[in-house]
Amino acid sequence: MLQYTDDIQLFNAFLRGEEFAIRQVYDLHAKPLCFFAQRITGDQQQAEDAVSDSFIKLLKQREQFQNLSNVKRFFYLATKNTCLDELKQKNRHVLAHQQIRFLASNAEYADTAFNEEMLRAEVVNAIRLEIDQLPDRTREVINLLFVEQLTTDQIADKLGVSVQTVRNQKSRGLEQVKSRLLKKNLLQAILYLAILFPSDWSA
């Protein structure tokens, strides 16, 4: 598939409705947006549906955008609004209402919260991309740790291995992820991991 390496070329091709450009814009944002949406809905399928619906809205209005940054922000805002509308319609559990208040209580706070959640989604996606490059067993351990948020003991029990084996894989995996993030100068992602796993994070 053709890949546009220049943002201006990609944006212009997207405005023209070129299929490759539309696919590239979607691929740039889909994974972090699904994480972002799942943080609101608590449901993976609902999150994926919200992202798909929002991208359709984006395409219908693409001629209104001035650059890729505008496209990205609209995509996130449309996804957020789609998720919140769905939660309101279904009158979901207490967590849903807490998320609605968190993201839509007042204009200034909501905008700050939205920006923070958008950044979190981008950071988590960057980390997940590096986790995907790990060797099979190490990747499995880190995914259980980072994505499913299991403890070391829970991972050992689930995989049928010793706690020490999990600790070794965890240490090795986090170090490899850190190294890859450093090479790409993704300091915010490194900080995010360091906050999550302070006892496993060497300087």
Side-chain angles (χ1 to χ4, degrees):
M1 178 185 293
L2 173 67
Q3 289 288 317
Y4 295 92
T5 57
D6 181 273
D7 284 354
I8 295 177
Q9 289 181 349
L10 173 59
F11 177 67
N12 289 334
F14 175 75
L15 286 185
R16 293 193 297 268
E18 294 184 13
E19 181 180 351
F20 290 152
I22 289 173
R23 169 55 62 181
Q24 188 171 336
V25 168
Y26 178 82
D27 289 344
L28 280 171
H29 305 300
K31 285 186 177 180
L33 265 166
C34 283
F35 172 78
F36 171 82
Q38 192 171 350
R39 289 263 301 173
I40 302 172
T41 65
D43 181 89
Q44 182 176 351
Q45 186 58 56
Q46 190 176 348
E48 291 175 357
D49 291 344
V51 171
S52 296
D53 291 346
S54 298
F55 192 67
I56 293 173
K57 294 176 184 176
L58 185 154
L59 288 178
K60 291 179 179 178
Q61 301 183 47
R62 67 179 184 276
E63 294 181 357
Q64 300 178 16
F65 302 120
Q66 298 177 338
N67 51 53
L68 286 178
S69 293
N70 294 153
V71 171
K72 175 182 174 181
R73 186 164 184 83
F74 178 91
F75 203 177
Y76 272 87
L77 281 170
T79 299
K80 182 199 77 170
N81 291 334
T82 298
C83 290
L84 295 182
D85 288 344
E86 184 68 20
L87 289 177
K88 290 174 183 177
Q89 289 173 8
K90 291 187 175 182
N91 194 26
R92 292 287 295 274
H93 47 68
V94 174
L95 175 60
H97 295 294
Q98 290 175 340
Q99 292 285 11
I100 290 171
R101 289 195 296 271
F102 171 70
L103 288 167
S105 56
N106 63 70
E108 182 178 356
Y109 179 74
D111 190 57
T112 300
F114 171 72
N115 288 332
E116 289 176 352
E117 285 298 310
M118 188 166 69
L119 176 59
R120 184 200 300 270
E122 298 290 335
V123 165
V124 168
N125 185 60
I127 294 170
R128 283 185 166 180
L129 288 175
E130 301 308 326
I131 292 174
D132 287 343
Q133 304 304 311
L134 295 172
D136 290 346
R137 177 45 66 99
T138 305
R139 181 174 67 249
E140 186 176 22
V141 168
I142 298 301
N143 270 323
L144 291 172
L145 175 75
F146 181 70
V147 180
E148 297 190 26
Q149 300 182 353
L150 300 184
T151 66
T152 300
D153 289 344
Q154 288 171 331
I155 295 171
D157 184 60
K158 181 169 185 173
L159 298 181
V161 299
S162 70
V163 170
Q164 188 57 50
T165 296
V166 173
R167 286 174 179 161
N168 292 341
Q169 294 287 353
K170 180 168 66 171
S171 177
R172 186 179 301 117
L174 288 175
E175 188 59 36
Q176 290 179 31
V177 170
K178 175 186 176 182
S179 178
R180 291 188 173 116
L181 293 172
L182 276 172
K183 288 179 180 178
K184 295 181 179 180
N185 201 33
L186 296 175
L187 302 182
Q188 288 174 321
I190 294 171
L191 177 60
Y192 186 78
L193 278 180
I195 292 171
L196 283 179
F197 310 111
S199 62
D200 300 292
W201 209 251
S202 57

